[in-house]
Amino acid sequence: MHFLRRSLVGIFLLATTLALFAWAGNTVRLAVQERMNAEPRSFPQRERVQVVNVVQVTPDTITPELQVFGELGSTNTFDVRALTGGTVLDLSENFVTGGRVDAGEMLVRIDPRDAQSARDRTAADLRDAEAEVRDAERASRLQQDEVTAAQQQATLRAQALRRQRDLSERGVGTAAAIEAAELALSSADQAVLSRRQALAQAQARLDQAATRLDRARLNLADADRALGDTEIRAPFTGILEDVSIAKGLRVTANERLGRLIDSAKLEVAFRLSTAQYARLVEDSGTLPQAPVTVTLDAQGFTLTATGHITREGASVGEGQTGRLVFARLDNTAGFRPGDFVTVTVREPALHDVAKVPATAIAANDTALMLDPDNRLIEVAVDLLRRQGNDVIIRAPRLYGKQIVAERSPLLGAGIAVQPIDAAAAAPPDAADPADAPRMVTLDPDRRAGMIAFVQSAPMPDPVKTRLLDQLQQDEVPWDVVARLEARMGT
């Protein structure tokens, strides 16, 4: 009985196992048939739409600015030199490198004893010359009186000769008396001639004395100037540099003692390219007095000065290009000659132009404009200026239209895009527009496709719920849309 019972149990288990294998095989067969007979799953193919940033092209009158680098220099400098040799007796306490001096301030005083002695000798020579002139004037006056007396004597002798001739005509006079009167008149004329010659000599002496007097006065003026040259004074208010002198040293004439710079009269020299110069120059060929702004950045502090262009270099210079231009500065507080600064020059205004981001213009000077169906159209533009990260263009076809702000290799003519105008999307009272997420509005088909993809995608339930909630909103974050479309392969 025991054997029979165990045999029946074994047969039962074997039958049950075979039945289970048969059921499993049938299940697999049915699943394979259903899979093979089922229609293949397909997704609707849609055109891929790129999300792009756009800007509005608005015509305006813009004043371009070009930026170059320049170096400051002073228009008023003075080399402090010793005008006469000698020992330095006194120095101003401000006569040091970096010292500020006022106009007329005594800087250096050189030993004046030699110059004073020379001046005194010249003054003595002047007094001698003045005395000589006085003597010559007196002698000239005396000689003039002698000439006058001699002429009077000759007149009397002539009258005596006429009387003797009258007497001879009446038969009273004699020939001997007439001859004696003629000899007396001849002697008187000879005396007049002698006195006139002496007067001429006296006048020549007076002229020579006057010449010596003028020469003595000139020598005295030179001596006074040489004495004044022993004191060197500041011709204007400025700052000293390169001072190389000390009290007690002996200097020679024309030796350089330092340099005085007027820091209030500065100009900047900068070089423009030929194209930049051509944009500034007027039709008459002259350079206008365009306004300039000079800035100097120093560890967070910015010094600024304004001015205007005054002149340009006469030649280009060996090994140089462009044009060297100079601009006079108005307010130079804090600036010093030798500073390397940034110069901003305002060009003539451009009318009927627009400013757009530089990334909106391709290398072939074209922009991508959006048509009413949000498809891209390539439009040629006239690139006029580059202003930092922006460019100034002239393109009447684009005025009032939207263009792509950031070109990329994926964008081209005919491509459909979803525009995002950052300027229009940003709320006016946003605290920080750069931190706000960019939002897009989805059309019904695009929204339904994304919802179906999220529902069928293998992802955690909390993530799926959050994405479905975001897709149900009127506006969806742009980064969420871009991430889902990348995973969908559209």
Side-chain angles (χ1 to χ4, degrees), residues 119 121-131 133-134 137 209-225:
R119 194 266 178 196
R121 287 193 297 270
T122 306
D125 294 339
L126 177 61
R127 290 192 295 271
D128 290 341
E130 291 174 347
V133 169
R134 290 193 296 270
E137 289 177 348
T211 302
R212 287 195 295 270
L213 178 60
D214 292 339
R215 188 179 296 111
R217 288 173 177 170
L218 292 175
N219 292 335
L220 182 61
D222 292 339
D224 289 335
R225 185 170 58 254

Side-chain angles (χ1 to χ4, degrees), residues 316-485:
V316 176
E318 185 177 357
Q320 301 291 335
T321 58
R323 303 291 185 271
L324 185 63
V325 181
F326 299 88
R328 180 74 59 83
L329 301 182
D330 300 329
N331 184 13
T332 59
F335 289 94
R336 289 294 181 271
D339 284 339
F340 193 68
V341 296
T342 302
V343 184
T344 303
V345 184
R346 297 184 60 186
E347 301 183 22
L350 299 177
H351 303 282
D352 195 26
V353 296
K355 180 183 289 187
V356 298
T359 54
I361 308 301
N364 59 349
D365 293 347
T366 59
L368 294 178
M369 180 184 70
L370 275 68
D371 65 3
D373 297 330
N374 287 341
R375 291 190 178 274
L376 299 181
I377 302 175
E378 192 172 57
V379 179
V381 300
D382 186 7
L383 181 60
L384 302 178
R385 302 286 191 277
R386 292 189 179 273
Q387 302 286 286
N389 295 327
D390 299 327
V391 293
I392 299 176
I393 62 173
R394 179 176 283 117
R397 185 180 176 184
L398 297 180
Y399 294 162
K401 306 293 184 180
Q402 290 182 332
I403 64 173
V404 177
E406 300 174 358
R407 298 285 295 266
S408 72
L410 300 178
L411 301 178
I415 295 179
V417 296
Q418 176 66 36
I420 299 177
D421 192 346
D429 57 348
D432 190 359
D435 296 338
R438 292 157 55 183
M439 309 296 288
V440 295
T441 302
L442 301 178
D443 56 74
D445 294 338
R446 190 177 182 188
R447 188 189 304 274
M450 291 186 180
I451 292 176
F453 175 76
V454 172
Q455 290 176 345
S456 62
M459 61 179 64
D461 292 338
V463 177
K464 183 180 296 186
T465 302
R466 179 174 56 82
L467 291 177
L468 291 175
D469 291 340
Q470 290 179 337
L471 292 174
Q472 294 296 338
Q473 303 297 325
D474 294 337
E475 293 184 346
V476 184
W478 177 83
D479 55 347
V480 174
V481 175
R483 186 166 63 254
L484 289 177
E485 286 185 339

Side-chain angles (χ1 to χ4, degrees), residues 66 272-283 285-288 312 322-323 347-348 385:
L66 59 89
L272 298 177
S273 66
T274 305
Q276 292 172 336
Y277 175 82
R279 293 200 296 262
L280 283 178
V281 72
E282 297 177 341
D283 296 336
T286 60
L287 192 66
E312 59 180 304
R323 303 291 185 271
E347 301 183 22
R385 302 286 191 277

